[in-house]
């Protein structure tokens, strides 16, 4: 019998996880304590790797239609514009990476898109469900809600944020530090007349304010220095404090901020859970780690947590892998979370120093690392053969050898299955053997074998991406989350079959 997975928290992490599990045919329930869906901007959108995740989940077109790729920072000092900088200027798609840039889109729209995809699998977010307690045994988990209702499942995942109940209920330490005095005010407002072609950043010696145009709306996300009273105490943010902050730094006579739909305070936290798994319960996203916003890695790390955990839970829930596979979630993602915390903390400190120079803004934290295309798991016990085992599996443009239709490797990878690439004619027999032994859990794909079979690689992009020399045969097994499990010679199909049979056992 297929097991059920319960997800607590319906933000981007929880929704990505729910979609990943549901498309694999595993029953999933997702609950959230909120009485209604929010309409706040929050996280500004997916980076390059998260765009690949959403493409795999079948929602790339929806994100492309709702978001923007081009972001230009206009930096000011004393109210005077000094410099414009485009983030990832000149970055373009490559054969191995289909997205040169991230995408600007408000978090509420990200969640709408993922909820719509989840509904296609027959699942919907259950609102007004606040978790109050949890018990578990060898057979499953029982979550008690604040109103006394109980939900039983085989596994439960806490995606309920840094202040969520799940981690506290599990008794998992949340090590790190919080900078209560190092904070910023944040909110969504309207500012009629301000040029929406720019992310405006006013940095002065005595404070700062930034306004980012929220795509698809008339709103701006405001971030700025908090106001303090005569004794130096923080003043609660309000539209009035936002306006005073704007007047002090932007110095645009007569421009009024209006229609605030979100007003909050952001405090810098650098914390990580000691464990990501406790029995049948797991932590993902902000429930497992919180970090500074510099570089925009918060939501993206959570989305990628979910994509890593989702396929593993699905295989175990269907009885196609052993319970040990679930241990690899913490094994792989905890070091990534630690890297993320260190990286964002360093960059937060760097931007504080950098913006003291007139004409410099938050672009100082943007580089190739924040794409997370380089994140891999070479240390993982699932990285079983070849120099690149554990790395992200690159894309490549190919051609259907029969029809001549363009096909990208990411199109072949998309879905809850493993993919076995066979390079060269010598691998054809092995692919057939693996397909016969492993059935639907593995999709086989012959690459560059000649006319009439599999995919042609006329420009050699696939061979180059996977380090396969012309004229040589090779096997590459790609995991459902598009990371390389192993690579081997074309006659080593038995190794692939053995690896899959022993998965998690």
């Amino acid at each position: 019998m297929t097991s059920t997975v319960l997800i607590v928290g319906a933000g981007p992490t929880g929704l990505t996880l729910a979609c990943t599990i549901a498309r694999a045919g595993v029953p999933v329930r997702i609950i959230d304590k909120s009485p209604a869906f929010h309409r706040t901007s929050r996280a500004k959108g997916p980076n390059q790797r998260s765009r690949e995740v959403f493409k795999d989940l079948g929602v790339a077109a929806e994100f492309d239609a709702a978001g923007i790729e081009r972001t230009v920072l206009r930096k000011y000092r004393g109210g005077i514009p000094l410099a414009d900088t485009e983030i990832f200027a000149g970055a373009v798609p490559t054969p191995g990476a289909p997205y040169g840039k991230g995408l600007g889109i408000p978090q509420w729209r990200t969640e709408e898109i993922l909820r719509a995809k989840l509904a296609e699998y027959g699942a919907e977010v259950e609102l007004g469900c606040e978790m109050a307690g949890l018990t578990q045994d060898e057979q499953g988990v029982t979550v008690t809600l604040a109103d006394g209702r109980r939900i039983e499942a085989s596994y439960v995942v806490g995606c309920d944020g840094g202040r969520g109940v799940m981690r506290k209920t599990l008794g998992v330490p949340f090590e790190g530090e919080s900078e209560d005095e190092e904070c910023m005010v944040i909110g969504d407002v309207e500012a009629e007349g301000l040029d929406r072609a720019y992310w405006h950043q006013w940095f002065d010696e005595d404070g700062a304010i930034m306004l980012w145009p929220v795509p698809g709306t008339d709103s701006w996300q405001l971030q700025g220095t908090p106001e303090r009273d005569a004794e130096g105490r923080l003043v609660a943010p309000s539209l009035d404090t936002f306006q005073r902050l704007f007047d002090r730094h932007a110095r645009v006579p007569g421009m009024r901020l209006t229609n605030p739909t979100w007003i909050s305070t952001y405090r810098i936290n650098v914390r990580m859970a000691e464990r990501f798994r406790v029995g049948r319960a797991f932590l993902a996203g902000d429930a497992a780690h919180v970090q500074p916003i510099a570089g925009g890695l918060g939501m993206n790390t959570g989305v990628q947590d979910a994509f890593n955990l989702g396929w593993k839970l699905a295989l175990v829930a269907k009885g196609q892998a052993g319970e040990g596979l679930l241990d690899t979630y913490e094994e792989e993602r905890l070091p990534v979370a630690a890297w993320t915390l260190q990286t964002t903390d360093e960059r937060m400190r760097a931007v504080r120093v950098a913006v003291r120079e007139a004409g410099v803004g938050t672009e100082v934290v943007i580089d190739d690392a924040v794409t997370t295309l380089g994140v891999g798991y070479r240390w993982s016990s699932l990285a079983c053969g070849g120099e690149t085992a554990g790395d992200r599996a690159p894309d490549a443009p190919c051609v259907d050898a029969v029809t001549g239709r363009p096909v990208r490797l990411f199109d072949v990878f998309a879905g809850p299955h493993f993919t076995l690439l066979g390079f060269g004619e010598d691998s054809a027999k092995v692919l057939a053997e693996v397909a016969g032994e492993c059935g639907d859990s593995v999709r086989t794909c012959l690459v560059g074998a000649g006319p009439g079979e599999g995919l042609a690689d006329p420009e050699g992009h696939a061979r180059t991406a996977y380090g396969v020399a012309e004229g040589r045969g090779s096997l590459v097994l790609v995991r459902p989350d598009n990371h390389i499990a192993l690579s081997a010679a074309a006659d080593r199909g038995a190794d692939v079959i053995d690896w899959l049979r022993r998965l998690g056992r």
Side-chain angles (χ1 to χ4, degrees):
M1 182 178 71
T2 302
S3 303
T4 302
V5 178
L6 172 65
I7 299 169
V8 180
T13 300
L15 289 166
T16 299
L17 180 62
C19 289
T20 304
I21 292 171
R23 73 167 179 178
V26 173
V28 63
R29 291 184 68 177
I30 179 168
I31 64 174
D32 197 278
K33 69 178 182 180
S34 301
F37 299 121
H38 74 89
R39 295 277 294 185
T40 54
S41 59
R42 301 188 191 181
K44 293 184 177 70
N47 66 3
Q48 289 85 331
R49 177 57 184 147
S50 290
R51 291 186 74 181
E52 293 180 355
V53 170
F54 292 147
K55 176 179 174 61
D56 194 279
L57 291 175
V59 289
E62 290 84 350
F63 273 93
D64 291 350
I68 56 170
E69 276 198 344
R70 188 172 186 264
T71 300
V72 180
L73 282 60
R74 172 157 286 182
K75 285 75 61 75
Y76 302 76
R77 182 59 62 100
I80 300 172
L82 298 181
D84 294 344
T85 303
E86 181 179 350
I87 296 176
F88 286 109
V92 296
T94 67
Y99 301 107
K101 300 180 181 181
L103 201 62
I105 182 172
Q107 184 173 322
W108 64 263
R109 185 68 182 113
T110 291
E111 293 174 8
E112 273 192 346
I113 292 170
L114 292 173
R115 286 198 303 267
K117 173 54 68 173
L118 184 61
E120 294 178 12
Y121 300 114
E124 295 186 355
V125 175
E126 301 173 45
L127 293 171
C129 298
E130 183 176 0
M131 177 182 166
L134 179 152
T135 59
Q136 61 175 308
D137 55 30
E138 293 183 359
Q139 281 68 50
V141 299
T142 300
V143 168
T144 303
L145 303 182
D147 61 7
R149 287 179 293 163
R150 290 153 57 95
I151 301 176
E152 296 182 350
S154 296
Y155 302 95
V156 62
V157 185
C159 304
D160 51 346
R163 298 180 180 178
V165 174
M166 176 72 79
R167 186 189 61 254
K168 298 173 184 176
T169 301
L170 295 173
V172 176
F174 205 37
E175 303 294 343
E177 59 184 22
S178 300
E179 301 182 19
D180 290 339
E181 291 300 309
E182 290 290 343
C183 62
M184 68 173 64
V185 292
I186 189 167
D188 291 338
V189 298
E190 293 182 7
E192 187 176 353
L194 194 61
D195 191 341
R196 297 185 65 84
Y198 301 98
W199 181 358
H200 300 272
Q201 301 189 348
W202 292 272
F203 287 100
D204 293 321
E205 292 183 2
D206 62 341
I209 186 172
M210 299 184 289
L211 286 168
W212 174 68
V214 181
T217 75
D218 293 326
S219 294
W220 296 80
Q221 184 186 94
L222 180 150
Q223 296 170 282
T225 308
E227 193 172 58
R228 295 178 183 272
D229 62 19
E231 285 73 39
R233 294 171 299 194
L234 295 173
V235 175
S238 66
L239 181 60
D240 287 340
T241 65
F242 284 176
Q243 185 67 53
R244 287 193 291 269
L245 181 66
F246 181 80
D247 292 342
R248 183 183 313 126
H249 299 294
R251 306 179 189 184
V252 182
M255 182 170 288
R256 306 300 299 172
L257 305 181
T258 61
N259 194 24
T261 54
W262 177 43
I263 295 176
S264 187
T265 299
Y266 169 81
R267 287 180 169 80
I268 297 172
N269 286 282
V270 185
R271 293 185 177 275
M272 187 171 73
E274 186 177 89
R275 302 171 62 187
F276 288 5
R277 180 188 185 188
V278 179
R280 291 176 171 270
F282 301 83
L283 300 171
D286 286 355
H289 44 78
V290 291
Q291 53 280 313
I293 59 175
L297 293 180
M299 183 196 79
N300 289 292
T301 304
V303 164
Q304 292 158 39
D305 284 348
F307 204 49
N308 181 289
L309 178 59
W311 70 271
K312 298 171 182 178
L313 274 172
L315 285 182
V316 175
K318 293 193 293 185
Q320 295 178 353
E323 283 274 342
L325 179 62
L326 300 178
D327 289 331
T328 67
Y329 166 62
E330 178 178 297
E331 177 189 2
E332 293 182 341
R333 293 303 296 178
L334 194 149
V336 173
W339 170 83
T340 302
L341 263 64
Q342 179 181 353
T343 299
T344 55
D345 188 37
E346 291 173 351
R347 289 171 188 228
M348 196 71 187
R349 298 176 192 278
V351 78
R352 289 171 180 163
V353 174
V355 297
R356 296 172 186 169
E357 179 182 342
V360 177
T362 58
E363 74 277 0
V364 298
V365 303
I366 303 298
D367 60 17
D368 287 345
V370 303
T371 70
T372 58
L373 293 174
V375 170
Y377 315 115
R378 290 194 178 188
W379 61 83
S380 171
S381 58
L382 296 181
C384 289
E387 294 182 0
T388 59
D391 289 358
R392 164 190 166 274
D395 195 10
C398 298
V399 176
D400 187 297
V402 177
T403 66
R405 177 176 59 90
V407 178
R408 299 192 70 95
L409 289 186
F410 275 9
D411 297 329
V412 179
F413 297 163
H417 56 269
F418 285 87
T419 303
L420 182 62
L421 300 176
F423 289 88
E425 187 176 356
D426 293 347
S427 64
K429 181 179 178 181
V430 173
L431 295 187
E433 291 173 354
V434 172
E437 290 287 339
C438 301
D440 294 340
S441 64
V442 179
R443 179 179 296 173
T444 60
C445 181
L446 190 62
V447 182
E453 288 190 272
L455 297 181
D457 184 24
E459 298 182 31
H461 290 306
R463 282 187 172 272
T464 299
Y466 289 89
V468 180
E470 186 66 37
R472 287 185 54 199
S474 182
L475 301 174
V476 179
L477 182 65
V478 179
R479 301 170 4 172
D481 61 351
N482 296 2
H483 282 262
I484 298 170
L486 62 87
S487 56
D491 60 351
R492 302 304 296 270
D495 292 349
V496 175
I497 294 171
D498 181 62
W499 189 89
L500 289 167
R501 283 177 173 171
R502 291 186 297 105
L503 191 60
R505 296 183 173 91

